[in-house]
Amino acid sequence: MDDHLLGWLRTLDEARLARVLSNRPDAIAAPWPRRLDTLAQRLGNGFAVMEAMRALPLPCLEIAQACLVLGDRTPPDRLAAFLDAPVATLTPWLDVLYDHALAWPDDEGRVHLAEAVSRWWAAPLGLGEPLDHYLNSWTVSNDTLRALARNLGLPPHGNKRRTIARVTEVLSDGVRLAALLRNAPEGTERLLADFAWDGPVRDVDGGRFVMLGTPEKWAADHGLLYRPRWEVAEMPREVALSVRGPGYHPPFSPEPPEIATIPVDPEEVDHLMTLAAPHVVERCAALLDNTAKTPLPLLKTGGVGVREVRRVAKETGCDEDETRLLLEICAVSRLLAFDEKSGGMVPTERFDRWRLDEGSARLRVLLSAWWRMERSSLRKIEGKYPTVLGDDQSGAAVARVRRAVLGVLSHLPSGTAFADRGSLVRNAHWHAPLLDQALLTDCAAAALEEARLLGVLANDALTDLGRALAGLAAHAGDENDDTVPLVEHDPVLVEASTRALASVRRSALFGPDLTAVVTGPPSTELAELLDRVAERESRGPPRCGASPPRASAARSTWATTPTSCSPS
């Protein structure tokens, strides 16, 4: 436990303590802490700190890295000078760190960073360990330390602590280091620049560190580079900062990148949601009914093969993208599971209960599963879709990408859509900088397409369903959860899902030729009934695409026969 954190907690007023607890619900999970020292221990837990950092925007992490480089108890004015920004610009972001108990001010206002933050950051700002870490290592003997002092023009006598302080003072001074480099072999400055800007750890030719006259040996003899292994060298933090020069300022981005937007008609967005949402529930029921008749076999390597996906798509009237997505969602929501007796994926007992629920409840089960799903069925890897229900190496990061993208879209005002996916991805990275940027770029398109299919996104703008889900990012849960009541029973999502299914039709119009027409999205029960007694000839468009259908186009038609519909 960090004693400094405990001391700071004791000084908090009720308002700030309430903000800390609301931002760190992990600290007050059951069993509830009854003492401040227990609370401090939970707030300082390494894994809890990492999860809290995932929720922070880029400026907070840039400040945290700067604090790690400058050392503990950094005055805000020194921090501002290092980042080349006014203190007033830093203050709101420091408050965010304080409100998450990841940093706190001491009695003199200096910034104290949580110990767990430094353990998770091996090379803040691309800088290595402090000189003290290398000079106090067991690999550096007293004789080696005295030889280093002589090479730097320092008196070799004195105790070890004093010698380390003198060496650190020289190598931290850019002017003295520049003077030292005037006598260095040719190529030394280029070597040091490579480590300072593209290090701190680099692969090297170990032989050059023992060869007289080489830049590598000269740098090692003067304490500028250290070799933990024969083929690897590292540059200390103070040396790298000196090489970068006094004009170096780490990046600081207090303003998010702008998203290119266009206006859209909110009523049209709402209309498209009411078309897509009932279609999802209906097609999901059809897919599960199909697997009840014909269990879905798995490949020997795991997952569902392309041939089976295409068969199910053809037999249920879905397209392949819908089938891939709904199979994944059904598995996560525990509506579909492997049955050893039948040798394939079949509906579970939960499906029997699910199909008896009202439509909005069924929709929320599917959306909740998608919100925590740790795979992306529509993400292409090297031009190919991954195996449905196969292993995805990215795991939970895929779910975080989905939530980050929708979270950014939720900040746009109603009636506004994004016009450029690149600007959307850059803004999402600003809000969630710990996400791998390559993965974010790679998965964003798939996440948006999944959202369109589910009625969460329409005309590149969030629907009410999307906004309700975006507000539940902190309660998404884990893919291994059987259910997530905080999402499925959220009042805002309940209201949005009820509205999304308000336009479903529970009756059909029959023509003289016994053709059944449903003038709108059919309810799941009506669609199931008509599918049993007739052949569907056409359906309303399921997707919330860029070219929306008008209300009159949202109709489905079944061709029946006198035999199938004649009264018994």
Side-chain angles (χ1 to χ4, degrees):
M1 182 184 66
D2 194 326
D3 292 335
H4 298 290
L5 173 57
L6 177 59
W8 178 67
L9 289 174
R10 287 174 175 152
T11 68
L12 297 186
D13 57 26
E14 185 176 336
R16 169 141 271 173
L17 182 58
R19 292 201 298 273
V20 170
L21 297 181
S22 65
N23 290 324
R24 297 289 302 277
D26 55 282
I28 52 175
W32 300 287
R34 297 179 179 272
R35 296 162 50 94
L36 271 183
D37 56 350
T38 306
L39 179 62
Q41 187 172 11
R42 290 191 181 187
L43 289 171
N45 177 270
F47 291 103
V49 164
M50 190 60 187
E51 285 303 311
M53 288 173 64
R54 292 187 194 279
L56 297 183
L58 184 59
C60 292
L61 302 192
E62 290 172 336
I63 289 176
Q65 289 190 78
C67 288
L68 287 174
V69 169
L70 295 178
D72 201 16
R73 292 186 175 84
T74 305
D77 55 348
R78 186 185 174 202
L79 185 62
F82 184 52
L83 292 170
D84 194 26
V87 175
T89 304
L90 263 67
T91 301
W93 301 110
L94 283 171
D95 284 337
V96 174
L97 287 170
Y98 299 161
D99 288 345
H100 285 77
L102 299 176
W104 52 88
D106 64 11
D107 296 339
E108 299 179 13
R110 297 173 299 185
V111 182
H112 186 108
L113 210 60
E115 291 179 3
V117 175
S118 60
R119 291 199 296 270
W120 282 102
W121 239 308
L125 301 179
L127 298 168
E129 298 283 355
L131 262 167
D132 183 79
H133 169 81
Y134 299 98
L135 297 179
N136 272 312
S137 169
W138 63 270
T139 59
V140 178
S141 64
N142 288 335
D143 290 340
T144 303
L145 190 58
R146 284 193 289 268
L148 173 60
R150 281 193 296 269
N151 291 337
L152 296 176
L154 298 172
H157 54 273
N159 59 40
K160 182 176 182 179
R161 187 174 180 180
R162 182 67 181 274
T163 303
I164 289 175
R166 288 171 176 168
V167 169
T168 302
E169 183 181 356
V170 171
L171 297 183
S172 301
D173 188 333
V175 176
R176 297 173 73 173
L177 180 59
L180 192 67
L181 287 173
R182 294 192 189 102
N183 299 318
E186 184 179 353
T188 303
E189 292 189 26
R190 184 172 62 255
L191 171 69
L192 298 179
D194 289 343
F195 273 89
W197 294 103
D198 300 319
V201 180
R202 292 173 65 89
D203 294 333
V204 295
D205 179 359
R208 293 184 62 81
F209 279 79
V210 295
M211 189 182 304
L212 292 175
T214 62
E216 288 83 358
K217 178 169 175 53
W218 187 93
D221 290 344
H222 289 80
L224 306 178
L225 296 176
Y226 293 83
R227 278 192 309 153
R229 299 194 303 274
W230 176 262
E231 73 286 354
V232 174
E234 303 177 6
M235 175 176 280
R237 182 175 301 171
E238 294 87 346
V239 176
L241 285 173
S242 296
V243 174
R244 291 183 183 185
Y248 166 71
H249 298 287
F252 182 58
S253 313
E255 297 295 331
E258 187 176 353
I259 301 177
T261 60
I262 55 173
V264 292
D265 183 0
E267 292 185 2
E268 205 165 69
V269 171
D270 192 65
H271 170 65
L272 289 171
M273 175 186 72
T274 62
L275 294 181
H279 178 86
V280 168
V281 178
E282 176 207 336
R283 290 297 88 197
C284 193
L287 183 149
L288 290 166
D289 281 334
N290 182 276
T291 56
K293 299 172 185 175
T294 309
L296 201 60
L298 300 181
L299 300 171
K300 292 182 179 180
T301 55
V304 179
V306 176
R307 183 178 300 176
E308 284 299 317
V309 171
R310 290 173 178 168
R311 176 189 65 78
V312 172
K314 182 178 180 181
E315 294 178 3
T316 58
C318 296
D319 64 26
E320 285 189 35
D321 284 356
E322 280 182 309
T323 305
R324 299 176 68 84
L325 176 61
L326 293 180
L327 282 173
E328 297 273 10
I329 289 176
C330 287
V332 174
S333 59
R334 306 299 189 266
L335 299 175
L336 190 67
F338 181 75
D339 179 63
E340 190 172 350
K341 183 178 180 181
S342 60
M345 303 290 289
V346 297
T348 64
E349 291 182 0
R350 192 184 186 196
F351 170 59
D352 298 329
R353 299 190 299 270
W354 175 84
R355 73 187 311 167
L356 296 177
D357 280 337
E358 61 178 6
S360 60
R362 280 179 278 176
L363 177 62
R364 291 195 300 275
V365 169
L366 301 179
L367 292 178
S368 175
W370 176 70
W371 200 224
R372 66 185 188 270
M373 191 169 74
E374 296 180 359
R375 293 182 300 279
S376 178
S377 54
L378 302 185
R379 170 194 174 199
K380 287 189 175 182
I381 301 174
E382 296 180 355
K384 296 181 180 180
Y385 284 128
T387 303
V388 175
L389 299 179
D391 293 332
D392 191 323
Q393 299 299 321
S394 302
V398 173
R400 287 194 285 269
V401 166
R402 186 181 299 119
R403 297 194 281 267
V405 171
L406 262 68
V408 166
L409 289 174
S410 68
H411 297 149
L412 299 179
S414 179
T416 305
F418 73 92
D420 174 56
R421 193 170 71 233
S423 64
L424 174 64
V425 168
R426 289 190 292 272
N427 190 284
H429 183 257
W430 186 91
H431 282 92
L434 288 184
L435 278 175
D436 181 80
Q437 194 163 8
L439 180 67
L440 175 60
T441 303
D442 195 29
C443 288
L448 293 170
E449 182 60 22
E450 292 170 2
R452 290 188 185 97
L453 289 171
L454 296 173
V456 172
L457 189 73
N459 280 1
D460 292 333
L462 276 191
T463 65
D464 288 345
L465 287 174
R467 293 187 181 278
L469 275 179
L472 297 170
H475 308 294
D478 185 82
E479 189 181 86
N480 295 321
D481 297 336
D482 287 333
T483 183
V484 188
L486 288 176
V487 174
E488 294 176 9
H489 301 157
D490 177 72
V492 179
L493 186 60
V494 168
E495 181 181 354
S497 60
T498 302
R499 277 205 326 105
L501 294 176
S503 64
V504 297
R505 299 291 186 264
R506 292 176 172 81
S507 61
L509 302 176
F510 284 80
D513 59 350
L514 292 183
T515 297
V517 178
V518 181
T519 57
S523 68
T524 303
E525 296 80 7
L526 178 60
E528 289 177 350
L529 173 62
L530 293 175
D531 280 335
R532 283 197 296 267
V533 300
E535 182 178 348
R536 193 185 301 221
E537 289 189 336
S538 66
R539 70 176 68 249
R543 292 174 182 250
C544 295
S547 301
R550 304 312 306 165
S552 59
R555 51 191 290 153
S556 300
T557 305
W558 280 262
T560 66
T561 64
T563 302
S564 61
C565 289
S566 59
S568 56

